[in-house]
Amino acid sequence: MPHATDNRPTALLAMGPGIAGRLLADRHRTRLAELTRTDPHLVAHDLADPTPEVAAALAEAEVLFTCWGATPLTEGVLAAAPRLRAVVHAAGSVKHHITDACWDRGIAVTSAANANALPVAEFTLATILFAGKRILHTAHRYRELRADHDWLSELDGAGNYRRTVGIVGASRIGRRVIELLRPFDLDVLLYDPYVDGAEAARLGVRLAPLDELCASSSVVSVHAPQLPETHHLIGAAQLSAMATGTTLINTARGSLVDEEALLAELTTGRLRAVLDVTDPELPPAQSPLYTLPNVLLTPHVAGSLGDELHRMADQALDELERFAAGLPFADPVFAGALTRSA
């Protein structure tokens, strides 16, 4: 029913093909229509070369509701959106589509990075606990043996009691992993040059230099952002510092790990790895990562998928409701923060 005095902001959905159908359930489209003046079924896939219908909607839009695959908001795109005041991103990083032109225009930005951090942290927790129990190794061995075996002897030294876990990067995801680890009898080290001792104490972790963390941890989990200074943050020196049997987990970005140096360690069997991201994103078909028994390789699925996308939509719609009510975003994104975040 139209509002008697309709002060709701105009909005436009902008994201890659097929994304809206996965992101938005019927209840989300209903809420979107209640909060804004928009067609909840019109989705702009290309704002740089829009259809006439999308161009008309973009010209009126005060808010863009974006997700993966959104068009970069260049000066040209923004020129076609003179009323645009905010971008609500129903996913994690905004670096793909939020440009300097957006900040120059004073456009308010928010993202559902917190909602997307949770499934990555849950995935990481599961792999940390599995690594301690040596589940990947045991499953391979059981498949080979298909017989009774002295597992207690073979797995002597495994387990998750008083094991040390190293977290590289106190990002949103890194902090959620630390939070999820609290109920367990694990010692947690943290490397992050922006965290001081007082904050580390609040997090319940001990700060350590990167090389010391690598040398002291049974599991090293990477959660730093992809920045020029974090390229190959885990290199040959850090990998060689790890004790035999250490598991490296990477759910951040493939470029943070020197993959050539990592492969050298993995092919000898000295280290183990759980890799949800690689460099390049899709390893070549002949890559040993697909077949090494000490590697769990997954196709960048630690983040939101399936019904977890609805959590991001819920957070984004909460932010849209705040905007419609004239309130500031609860989780704003600022240009300065992007220099050291994902």
Side-chain angles (χ1 to χ4, degrees):
M1 179 180 296
H3 292 203
T5 303
D6 200 340
N7 294 320
R8 296 174 300 163
T10 54
L12 174 63
L13 296 171
M15 55 198 71
I19 299 299
R22 295 180 173 89
L23 176 73
L24 302 172
D26 289 344
R27 64 180 176 86
H28 296 121
R29 294 184 192 271
T30 298
R31 190 178 176 199
L32 183 64
E34 291 172 348
L35 292 173
T36 65
R37 287 178 289 135
T38 187
D39 177 353
H41 299 283
L42 175 64
V43 183
H45 301 315
D46 187 353
L47 295 175
D49 186 19
T51 64
E53 185 179 17
V54 167
L58 180 61
E60 295 297 319
E62 297 168 84
V63 184
L64 286 180
F65 191 94
T66 64
C67 192
W68 297 316
T71 305
L73 301 179
T74 61
E75 288 185 3
V77 170
L78 293 180
R83 301 184 64 199
L84 187 66
R85 294 188 289 131
V87 176
V88 174
H89 189 52
S93 177
V94 301
K95 286 185 175 180
H96 169 74
H97 66 302
I98 298 299
T99 66
D100 288 344
C102 295
W103 306 120
D104 293 343
R105 220 341 246 252
I107 292 171
V109 179
T110 183
S111 87
N114 277 338
N116 192 47
L118 183 54
V120 183
E122 292 171 341
F123 178 99
T124 303
L125 172 66
T127 56
I128 288 171
L129 296 177
F130 264 37
K133 297 284 283 189
R134 297 187 63 189
I135 293 299
L136 182 61
H137 163 84
T138 304
H140 280 302
R141 287 281 286 145
Y142 199 22
R143 186 181 302 119
E144 292 170 354
L145 294 171
R146 307 188 186 200
D148 195 15
H149 184 65
D150 183 3
W151 293 110
L152 287 178
S153 294
E154 178 155 338
L155 298 175
D156 187 38
N160 285 306
Y161 181 66
R162 293 272 70 93
R163 195 169 289 273
T164 299
V165 175
I167 302 296
V168 179
S171 59
R172 292 176 194 258
I173 295 169
R175 289 166 187 264
R176 291 303 295 265
V177 172
I178 290 168
E179 181 182 340
L180 293 177
L181 288 172
R182 283 182 191 137
F184 301 95
D185 293 317
L186 296 165
D187 299 318
V188 181
L189 300 180
L190 171 66
Y191 168 74
D192 190 308
Y194 297 101
V195 173
D196 60 21
E199 187 176 4
R202 288 193 295 271
L203 292 170
V205 300
R206 181 170 69 83
L207 289 177
L210 182 58
D211 287 359
E212 178 186 328
L213 179 148
C214 291
S216 304
S217 302
S218 299
V219 178
V220 175
S221 191
V222 181
H223 302 288
Q226 180 175 258
L227 302 169
E229 56 267 35
T230 61
H231 183 74
H232 288 185
L233 181 65
I234 305 296
Q238 290 72 39
L239 293 165
S240 64
M242 295 179 188
T244 297
T246 298
T247 298
L248 175 71
I249 300 171
N250 190 6
T251 58
R253 288 293 185 269
S255 65
L256 273 66
V257 177
D258 182 341
E259 198 163 289
E260 183 176 348
L262 177 61
L263 274 170
E265 296 282 5
L266 293 174
T267 52
T268 67
R270 198 181 76 79
L271 299 181
R272 307 181 182 106
V274 176
L275 304 175
D276 188 53
V277 289
T278 52
D279 189 16
E281 179 80 1
L282 179 65
Q286 69 274 17
S287 172
L289 294 176
Y290 291 112
T291 54
L292 283 169
N294 50 332
V295 175
L296 175 60
L297 179 67
T298 52
H300 204 163
V301 294
S304 298
L305 52 76
D307 57 16
E308 293 166 340
L309 272 67
H310 295 166
R311 182 191 285 119
M312 296 196 300
D314 285 336
Q315 180 176 332
L317 285 167
D318 287 346
E319 290 285 58
L320 187 55
E321 183 170 4
R322 293 181 65 86
F323 180 83
L327 299 172
F329 289 134
D331 197 4
V333 177
F334 298 108
L338 294 180
T339 61
R340 57 187 183 93
S341 66

